[in-house]
Amino acid sequence: MDMKLYTRAQNSAGERVRIALNLKGIAYEYVAVSTLGPGEYARINPQALMPALEVHGRVITQSAAILNYLEAAFPERALLPADLVVRAQAIAFGSVVAAEMHALTVQRVRRFLSSNMGTDEAQVQQWVAHWLGLGFATLEGLLAARSADWPFCFGEEPGWADLFMVPQVANGRRLGIDLTDYQRVTEIADRCRQLEPFRLAEPQMQPDYPGEPVPR
Ligand SMILES: N[C@@H](CCC(=O)N[C@@H](CS)C(=O)NCC(=O)O)C(=O)O
């Protein structure tokens, strides 16, 4: 197979890419990072964060860069809206998730707070609830401000913004965030989760998933 996706069942940045590959109908080899030998993944991706996509032996890191590549190389099932302003809005929406929610609350940040900053569990939870709360409120506001009331974030079909949002909603639920104020966010995320490309990208559907399905 020409494409290898280095990921892990519970890897929400990788889940974005899995959804994109599924939406576009692209076949790929799933490489569970946990099955690689010591140091092997760091030789593939010097940052050692997941995901990474290997295309004919060349490696792309960072989910947004991988998604950009997929969109350019496989334009048939477009993830980005055709209207250039709506397209930019969809990219902005994904950036809120990746840069301002996920990056601030990902496991290595939580671990650093508790192990290196002397922060107790309740304070770490306060940190997570603060940044995710701000982020979800922003996503809800961006959805409310859309130029049309589409069934998905920025269109009649799910795309770029949806595939960033859905794994982050799952993270929010997993981390105990109350999402009742973010009705547009949860309605669209739940609609997406009914669809095969999203369902097949969920952690419990991956070959290295270790246990019982997690509530999403
Ligand atoms: N900005 C990166 C984020 C990648 C990232 O933080 N991945 C997490 C999992 S979702 C990871 O690899 N964590 C491993 C670790 O912290 O050791 C992207 O979008 O690809």
Side-chain angles (χ1 to χ4, degrees), residues 20 22-25 71 74-80 157-160 198:
N22 294 344
L23 283 170
K24 286 180 177 287
E71 187 71 345
F74 303 90
E76 300 80 32
R77 166 52 172 99
L79 300 173
L80 286 166
E157 301 291 333
W160 187 277
F198 285 81

Side-chain angles (χ1 to χ4, degrees), residues 10-13 16 48-51 62-64 102 106 108 111:
Q10 187 62 63
N11 168 212
S12 69
R16 299 169 195 156
L49 294 178
M50 297 162 283
Q62 289 290 337
S63 61
H102 180 265
V106 72
R108 65 182 180 140
R111 202 182 296 132

Side-chain angles (χ1 to χ4, degrees), residues 44-73:
I44 294 161
N45 176 4
Q47 201 183 13
L49 294 178
M50 297 162 283
L53 185 75
E54 189 176 317
V55 185
H56 295 295
R58 294 190 294 170
V59 176
I60 310 169
T61 64
Q62 289 290 337
S63 61
I66 296 170
L67 293 168
N68 252 302
Y69 162 76
L70 293 174
E71 187 71 345

